[in-house]
Amino acid sequence: MENHEQHKNNEMDHSKMDHSKMNHEKEDHSKMDHSKMKNGDGDHSGHNPGHGQMGHDHHKMMIADFRKRFWVTLVLTIPILFFSPMIQDFFGYEFLLPGNSYILFALSTIVYFYGGWPFLKGFVSEIKNGAPGMMTLISMAISVAYFYSSATVFGLRGVDFFWELSTLIAIMLVGHWIEMKSVLGASKALQLLVSMMPAEAHRVKGDTIEDIPLEDLLKNDVILVKPGEKVPADGIIVEGSSYLNESMLTGESKPVKKEEKDKVIGGSVNGNSTLKVKVEHTGKDSYLNKVITMVEEAQKTKSKMQNLSDRAAKWLTYIALAIGFGTLAVWLILGFPFVYALERMVTVMVIACPHALGLAIPLVVAISTAVSAQNGLLIRNRTAFEESRKISALLFDKTGTLTKGDFGVTRIKSVNASYSNDEILRLSSALEQSSEHPIAVGIIKKVKEDNITIPKPENFNAITGKGVEANVEGKQVKVVSPGYLRDEKITIPEDAYSDAAETVVFVLIEGQLAGYIALADEIRPESAEAIKIFKKNNIKVLMATGDNEKTAKAVSEKLGLDGYYAEVLPHQKVEIVEELQNKGEFVAMTGDGVNDAPALAKADVGIAVGSGTDVAAETADIILVNSNPQDIANLILFGKATYNKMIQNLIWATGYNVVAIPLAAGVLYSSGFVLGPAVGAVFMSLSTIIVAINAQLLKRKIGKK
C-alpha cells in the first residue's frame, strides 16, 4: 500500500487512467501516460479495450490482493481468539495448550507481517515522502500492539492483546477492500470511453479491403464501416448514408442521420448501412482522445475544495499522533496500567485515520468528471464547475443556443380556396430547390420533412431583390418579398405578420396572391423548459445577440427572459459581462468558443456551446458538445449536486472524527463506556465506506437526456 496521499491519488489515478504497473508489490507505481501507450510517440489511436483496461486490471488485482490477505488473516484470527486468555476469561472457559503464548505469538506474527504488510509498506513510503498519513497511524497502532504483546511473551510483565491486533488488521483489510471496490466504480465511466474504439479498421485499397490495427491508420485513408460496427476514426463520409449512435460521446440519445460529406466521430456506432469514410483525425487528434485527455486533466487539477480537504487530512494526521501520544501519557499519569494506556493510544490512532477525509473529495471528482463527459459536458476547470452553483446571471448567445440557428418554416397559410397549404409549399419548393438562401433552405427542409415531391420548374427567373419566378406544371408561380406586393399594389393579408421574429414570403399563382410562408430562426423546444429551471434557481437569464432590436425583443418576450442586448458585436460582449460583474452578479457566459473567446474568458464561468465535436475551445471552463440550453441547466444543477456531495462528505468525515477521537481517548471512562481498538477499526472502516457510497450516489443526479 501507499502513503495516504499516494494511496488516495493512486486510487483516483485509476479513474484517470494513469496506468500503474501491474505488480502490487512494486509500490513506486511508475506511471505511464495513456497517450504514450502506442510506440511511445504519443499516438493514442490504438484505444482498444485491452489497452484501456490496464489501470482497471491493476486496480482489480489490488482488490484481489486485499481480499486474499483478509481471508488469510480471518482464518488465523479464529484460533488467536480461541486461545487468548482474555477471551477465555470473558466467555468463562479454559483451554490452554502447552506453550499457549508462543502459539499466539507465532500466529500473530504471520497476521502482523502478512495481513499488515500493505499498511507497513505504506508507512515507510509516507515517512520517505515526509507526509505522515493514514498508513502511519495504522502502522503505529498495529506495531505498538504487536511489539508490546510480543515483549509480554518473552518476560515483560503485562497482558498481551494479540486478539485485538488480529481483529484490527482483519477489519482494516475488509474496510479497504470494500472501499477500493467503490473507487473502482468511479473509473468505470471513463473506462467506458476508453474502450469505445475498435481494435481494427477495414482499409479500402482499390478494390481490396484489408483489416489493419487501428494505430496503422493514417489521415486520408478510406475505411469501410459495416452495419453495427464502431467507427474507428474521425472522418467524412465519402459514400453511403446511415444512422449513427453517438450517445456515449455527445449525450444525444437519438441516432443521428449522416449522409455523404457529413462528419462522423470515432467511437460512434454505425446503424443499418455500410459507409465509406475518409479519415480526418487519428490518435491523439481524435475527438474521443481529446475528451479522454480533458477528463483526465480535469480529474488531476485540484479545485479549491480539494486543496482544503487535502490540508484537513494532513492536519488530522498530526492531531491524531499528538492526541495518541497525549492519551498514553495522560492515562499513565493517572496511574493506569501501561497496557490500558497503550490500548487507548492504539484506539485513538486507528479511529482517527484521515482516510474518509482523504477520499471525500477525489472520489466525487472522479465520478462527476467522467459522468459529465458521457453526457456531453466536458469540464476543463474544476473550480469553475464547482462554483457554477453561485451563478446569478446567465448571458446567452441567441443563435444556435436558445434558437436552432437555422431558418425553419413556422406557418403556411393559403388565402385562395383553390390551393391547400401543402400545395402552396409544393409549388414554391420548385423555385427554391437550387438556391442557397436561408429562406430557400428552410422551405426545402420542410418539404423533405413532409415527404413532398418537388416538381420541376421551367423558365426560371430571379426578380432582382424581390424574389423568384418560374413556370411550374403550366402555372406561373412567384415567391416574393412583401416589397414586391407593395410595388404591385397587392394587399398584404392582415394576419401575415403575427410574430415580429418571423420573415414572411408570399406565393403568387397566375398573378394572384395564393398564400404565404412564414419562417423564423426557430426557438428550441428545450429553451423554455431550461429557462424555467434557471428562474427556479434564482438565475437571471439575459440574451446578447447580433440580431436587430425587433427580432431580439420578440425572442426575449416569447421566452420570458429578464433582458436582452440587440445588435451586439462579439467584442461588446466582454463589456456586457463586465457591466454585470460590476453590479455584483456572478456571471456565466455561453458562446461559440471562437467569436466569444474574450467574453468566455472574462466571465466567472465560461461555457462553450455549439462547438460540436471541436472540443479544443481553449478559453472556456466547460464545453457543451450539444448546443442544448437544457444541458446548461443540467450542468448548473449537477455542479450544485457535486458541491453538495463534497460538503456532505467533508462534514461526515470531519464530524465522525470530532465525536470518535474523544471516545477513543476514553472521555466517558467514568460512566463505564470505553471504545476498544477493534470497535474503533469498525467505525473507521464504516466512515470510509459511507463516504464512498455517498459519492457513488452522485451518478443519479445528472439529468440523462
Side-chain angles (χ1 to χ4, degrees):
M1 273 309 287
E2 307 77 21
N3 67 58
H4 165 59
E5 282 297 312
Q6 269 187 326
H7 174 75
K8 175 187 73 182
N9 289 333
N10 275 340
E11 287 171 332
M12 289 305 99
D13 281 344
H14 296 301
S15 61
K16 296 183 234 174
M17 289 167 30
D18 269 356
H19 302 298
S20 309
K21 284 190 177 175
M22 286 298 197
N23 186 354
H24 172 58
E25 305 303 334
K26 199 88 171 159
E27 282 308 320
D28 65 339
H29 282 310
S30 49
K31 289 179 182 172
M32 173 167 67
D33 190 312
H34 82 286
S35 62
K36 295 185 180 113
M37 287 176 60
K38 286 282 162 192
N39 310 324
D41 60 3
D43 187 353
H44 191 44
S45 47
H47 246 327
N48 61 52
H51 289 256
Q53 278 160 356
M54 280 177 68
H56 206 61
D57 290 345
H58 166 73
H59 209 84
K60 280 184 174 167
M61 285 181 75
M62 284 180 74
I63 290 171
D65 182 68
F66 268 93
R67 186 171 61 227
K68 188 170 76 178
R69 287 177 194 273
F70 164 70
W71 286 116
V72 171
T73 302
L74 187 65
V75 167
L76 293 172
T77 299
I78 295 164
I80 291 172
L81 287 167
F82 185 74
F83 293 121
S84 285
M86 202 187 289
I87 298 293
Q88 292 185 16
D89 285 349
F90 185 77
F91 286 105
Y93 70 93
E94 193 174 323
F95 192 90
L96 295 173
L97 294 172
N100 196 73
S101 58
Y102 295 106
I103 293 168
L104 285 175
F105 168 71
L107 292 171
S108 298
T109 301
I110 299 169
V111 167
Y112 174 70
F113 285 106
Y114 181 74
W117 186 247
F119 308 116
L120 297 170
K121 281 197 76 109
F123 163 64
V124 172
S125 189
E126 285 183 353
I127 298 305
K128 266 187 197 165
N129 292 336
M134 183 190 63
M135 294 299 160
T136 303
L137 293 174
I138 297 174
S139 298
M140 287 189 75
I142 62 174
S143 298
V144 167
Y146 172 71
F147 289 110
Y148 172 78
S149 299
S150 301
T152 63
V153 172
F154 296 102
L156 184 74
R157 287 188 61 183
V159 183
D160 73 74
F161 47 103
F162 282 131
W163 72 272
E164 288 180 300
L165 167 76
S166 58
T167 50
L168 177 55
I169 290 174
I171 291 162
M172 295 308 286
L173 284 169
V174 78
H176 271 68
W177 170 25
I178 294 170
E179 168 234 310
M180 286 176 78
K181 281 181 81 170
S182 290
V183 173
L184 187 68
S187 70
K188 279 181 183 164
L190 187 58
Q191 185 58 39
L192 223 48
L193 283 174
V194 179
S195 62
M196 284 176 66
M197 281 298 198
E200 288 188 327
H202 315 300
R203 182 161 62 188
V204 180
K205 273 281 174 90
D207 295 335
T208 61
I209 292 168
E210 53 184 9
D211 287 351
I212 58 162
L214 209 59
E215 61 267 29
D216 293 349
L217 207 54
L218 301 169
K219 191 177 176 178
N220 296 328
D221 277 353
V222 174
I223 49 175
L224 188 74
V225 186
K226 296 173 185 172
E229 284 187 340
K230 288 177 179 175
V231 178
D234 298 356
I236 293 174
I237 297 174
V238 290
E239 191 181 302
S241 72
S242 184
Y243 281 88
L244 272 82
N245 184 341
E246 299 177 346
S247 60
M248 268 297 295
L249 295 153
T250 64
E252 174 55 66
S253 52
K254 293 197 251 342
V256 184
K257 180 142 197 227
K258 300 276 185 174
E259 297 173 322
E260 249 180 72
K261 295 186 181 169
D262 283 344
K263 287 186 177 185
V264 292
I265 314 172
S268 53
V269 181
N270 187 17
N272 50 7
S273 307
T274 302
L275 295 174
K276 276 189 185 170
V277 175
K278 185 179 176 185
V279 175
E280 268 201 316
H281 303 297
T282 61
K284 61 182 181 295
D285 296 325
S286 71
Y287 168 75
L288 185 62
N289 206 60
K290 281 180 185 169
V291 171
I292 289 165
T293 306
M294 200 176 289
V295 170
E296 284 178 348
E297 281 170 4
Q299 287 181 350
K300 279 178 195 162
T301 55
K302 292 196 173 183
S303 64
K304 289 176 189 169
M305 281 291 288
Q306 204 166 335
N307 287 327
L308 172 73
S309 137
D310 288 350
R311 283 201 304 275
K314 200 171 176 183
W315 277 106
L316 184 62
T317 305
Y318 295 130
I319 291 165
L321 286 168
I323 294 176
F325 288 113
T327 301
L328 178 73
V330 169
W331 285 109
L332 287 174
I333 291 163
L334 291 173
F336 280 78
F338 182 73
V339 69
Y340 182 82
L342 195 65
E343 193 178 83
R344 297 277 58 75
M345 183 182 96
V346 167
T347 310
V348 166
M349 286 186 172
V350 168
I351 214 160
C353 284
H355 204 204
L357 195 57
L359 200 64
I361 304 295
L363 197 51
V364 174
V365 167
I367 292 168
S368 66
T369 318
V371 172
S372 298
Q374 283 180 289
N375 283 269
L377 314 175
L378 307 177
I379 299 163
R380 298 193 59 214
N381 179 338
R382 288 223 49 93
T383 300
F385 171 63
E386 285 162 27
E387 290 193 333
S388 60
R389 69 187 192 286
K390 294 185 193 169
I391 293 169
S392 62
L394 186 55
L395 188 64
F396 272 106
D397 181 27
K398 176 187 80 81
T399 311
T401 310
L402 293 173
T403 60
K404 288 184 177 175
D406 53 5
F407 267 95
V409 172
T410 49
R411 291 179 300 133
I412 304 163
K413 180 78 188 284
S414 167
V415 294
N416 184 324
S418 307
Y419 304 102
S420 67
N421 290 353
D422 280 356
E423 186 66 1
I424 296 285
L425 183 65
R426 189 180 76 85
L427 292 171
S428 61
S429 71
L431 281 69
E432 304 289 11
Q433 62 186 327
S434 55
S435 170
E436 288 298 311
H437 190 281
I439 289 172
V441 172
I443 289 172
I444 297 303
K445 193 172 122 198
K446 176 70 176 165
V447 166
K448 283 182 178 169
E449 278 172 13
D450 292 356
N451 292 322
I452 294 170
T453 308
I454 302 173
K456 279 204 169 79
E458 291 170 357
N459 305 327
F460 181 87
N461 176 42
I463 309 163
T464 312
K466 299 280 171 63
V468 286
E469 61 182 350
N471 289 334
V472 183
E473 296 173 349
K475 302 184 186 79
Q476 194 208 27
V477 180
K478 291 178 183 172
V479 179
V480 292
S481 68
Y484 180 87
L485 264 61
R486 281 193 287 272
D487 291 350
E488 297 296 316
K489 307 285 188 289
I490 299 171
T491 309
I492 295 172
E494 275 179 29
D495 58 356
Y497 291 100
S498 65
D499 188 328
E502 286 179 334
T503 298
V504 183
V505 292
F506 296 89
V507 182
L508 276 65
I509 301 172
E510 302 291 5
Q512 299 294 310
L513 181 62
Y516 57 83
I517 300 169
L519 301 98
D521 182 358
E522 285 180 84
I523 290 174
R524 286 176 176 272
E526 310 94 348
S527 293
E529 196 53 46
I531 284 158
K532 273 186 206 157
I533 296 170
F534 298 135
K535 293 202 163 179
K536 208 161 113 188
N537 285 274
N538 300 318
I539 296 168
K540 292 189 188 107
V541 187
L542 306 159
M543 178 178 76
T545 176
D547 279 345
N548 62 52
E549 173 75 21
K550 194 175 169 189
T551 305
K553 188 168 188 267
V555 172
S556 176
E557 283 173 359
K558 191 174 265 191
L559 286 170
L561 303 183
D562 294 297
Y564 65 90
Y565 302 87
E567 296 170 28
V568 176
L569 298 169
H571 71 270
Q572 292 171 313
K573 290 180 184 172
V574 179
E575 293 158 24
I576 296 168
V577 170
E578 272 178 354
E579 183 192 318
L580 289 167
Q581 285 171 332
N582 292 338
K583 288 179 186 167
E585 303 286 2
F586 195 88
V587 183
M589 162 83 195
T590 70
D592 65 8
V594 183
N595 286 343
D596 303 325
L600 288 174
K602 182 73 191 162
D604 297 296
V605 180
I607 304 167
V609 292
S611 52
T613 55
D614 173 23
V615 293
E618 288 301 325
T619 53
D621 300 312
I622 295 152
I623 297 165
L624 299 192
V625 177
N626 303 315
S627 303
N628 187 339
Q630 197 107 36
D631 282 356
I632 299 168
N634 277 343
L635 168 78
I636 292 169
L637 296 179
F638 192 50
K640 277 188 178 177
T642 300
Y643 180 77
N644 290 342
K645 275 277 174 271
M646 289 180 174
I647 294 293
Q648 284 165 19
N649 276 0
L650 281 179
I651 289 171
W652 171 261
T654 315
Y656 147 81
N657 281 299
V658 169
V659 174
I661 291 175
L663 288 178
V667 291
L668 294 181
Y669 173 77
S670 56
S671 57
F673 179 81
V674 177
L675 214 57
V679 180
V682 170
F683 278 130
M684 184 265 159
S685 295
L686 272 177
S687 76
T688 307
I689 291 161
I690 287 167
V691 161
I693 291 167
N694 189 37
Q696 292 290 346
L697 294 176
L698 188 62
K699 288 179 182 173
R700 298 181 184 179
K701 294 280 182 184
I702 188 158
K704 292 271 180 189
K705 289 172 281 305

